[in-house]
Amino acid sequence: MSNASLQDSCNRIVAAGCITAADLAFLTGELLPDGLVTRDEADLLIALDRAVAQPNAAFADFLVAAVVDLAVWGERPTGYVNAETARWLAASIGAGTGPTATGARIAVEVVRESQSADETLIAFALAANRRTSTDEVPGTLLAA
């Protein structure tokens, strides 16, 4: 899979304003059949989550699981989130304006799934978790 193909798909989805079931099937079946392999792919999908006007719960579930898999099990050392990975993830999810509800879920689940996570990500996840509420819509921005 090329990042150009993923970028093109993300651009099309953003232009449409929503992620459909067909979009998700194409992303997971054709473009990312093995899940996220690189941080660039994760960054694109995290940005897509932020950019779509109409969030999609199935996409949010996929994104959370895929980023957890990449950050916890795809990075080395396996099972541990080191300082460099924690900084990348917090920056990507936060994007300077704070995480979306999905981004907050990602941070919390990465910390929960890992055997050990750097304090940068733990603090980010705790702050994001405090700002979330049960009525948050996946994909919406949380107040900073």
Side-chain angles (χ1 to χ4, degrees):
M1 194 280 312
S2 76
N3 276 353
S5 298
L6 182 58
Q7 181 68 60
D8 290 344
S9 292
C10 289
N11 290 345
R12 185 185 48 72
I13 291 167
V14 169
C18 66
I19 302 171
T20 66
D23 293 329
L24 183 57
F26 182 71
L27 286 171
T28 59
E30 297 295 323
L31 294 179
L32 302 166
D34 299 320
L36 297 172
V37 178
T38 69
R39 289 181 181 185
D40 287 342
E41 292 170 350
D43 289 339
L44 281 169
L45 294 187
I46 289 168
L48 177 63
D49 171 64
R50 182 175 296 282
V52 293
Q54 296 177 9
N56 178 305
F59 174 74
D61 291 344
F62 160 73
L63 184 58
V64 170
V67 174
V68 167
D69 189 52
L70 175 66
V72 177
W73 306 114
E75 297 277 326
R76 300 294 178 254
T78 302
Y80 296 87
V81 179
N82 63 28
E84 194 267 329
T85 299
R87 283 191 301 274
W88 157 70
L89 195 54
S92 185
I93 293 169
T97 59
T100 63
T102 303
R105 278 181 55 204
I106 291 168
V108 169
E109 291 303 318
V110 166
V111 169
R112 187 174 289 145
E113 180 77 15
S114 67
Q115 293 175 13
S116 176
D118 183 76
E119 62 190 39
T120 302
L121 187 60
I122 294 170
F124 181 87
L126 288 171
N129 194 37
R130 277 194 300 270
R131 290 193 307 250
T132 60
S133 67
T134 56
D135 61 353
E136 287 294 335
V137 176
T140 59
L141 292 177
L142 301 176

